[in-house]
Amino acid sequence: ASPPRYHEMFQSFSNWQSPPTNSLKTLLICLVVDFIGLLSYLIPVFGELIDVVWAPISAAIIYKLFNNSLAASLGFLEEILPAFDFLPTATLTWIAYRFNLFNVNGNNHNQRQEEGKSR
């Protein structure tokens, strides 16, 4: 089997239109991302190796959903570091955006909401 081609996967993300940050569709995507990250606990020996592949994919999805490099970086670290897979980083980011707990990206959050209303 050939190794994963991350650059091709990331290029395909550029064409993907993410839903508004506070939508239920985004929450569902976040729950799936966090669940996949949690699956490494089910495979004791190979789990951390799976995280090496999943960490950049998870970070790319989080970045695409929220256009937030801090959240994506935290998602990457949570997946790549041992024993942190239980943290639902994507879902916590969705909660922060949904309930406007903090304004990480300035006006970008409000802009994304307006874009979602016009779709």
Side-chain angles (χ1 to χ4, degrees), residues 4-109:
R5 296 182 180 173
Y6 292 115
H7 66 281
E8 291 175 4
M9 290 188 315
F10 290 126
Q11 285 175 346
S12 67
F13 279 122
S14 66
N15 296 329
W16 179 53
Q17 293 292 321
S18 61
T21 56
N22 65 350
S23 73
L24 291 178
K25 186 175 182 180
T26 301
L27 174 60
L28 181 62
I29 294 168
C30 289
L31 290 169
V32 169
V33 166
D34 289 332
F35 180 74
I36 291 171
L38 191 61
L39 287 177
S40 66
Y41 280 124
L42 298 177
I43 310 170
V45 176
F46 297 105
E48 295 304 322
L49 294 176
I50 293 169
D51 283 344
V52 170
V53 174
W54 179 244
I57 296 169
S58 171
I61 293 170
I62 292 171
Y63 182 79
K64 189 65 178 177
L65 287 173
F66 300 102
N67 195 27
N68 186 311
S69 56
L70 175 62
S73 298
L74 290 174
F76 178 83
L77 290 173
E78 175 250 322
E79 291 297 338
I80 205 77
L81 294 174
F84 284 95
D85 288 338
F86 67 93
L87 294 171
T89 307
T91 304
L92 290 174
T93 303
W94 181 87
I95 290 169
Y97 273 86
R98 173 67 176 93
F99 296 103
N100 202 17
L101 298 179
F102 54 89
N103 197 357
V104 179
N105 281 336
N107 291 330
N108 189 34
H109 172 64

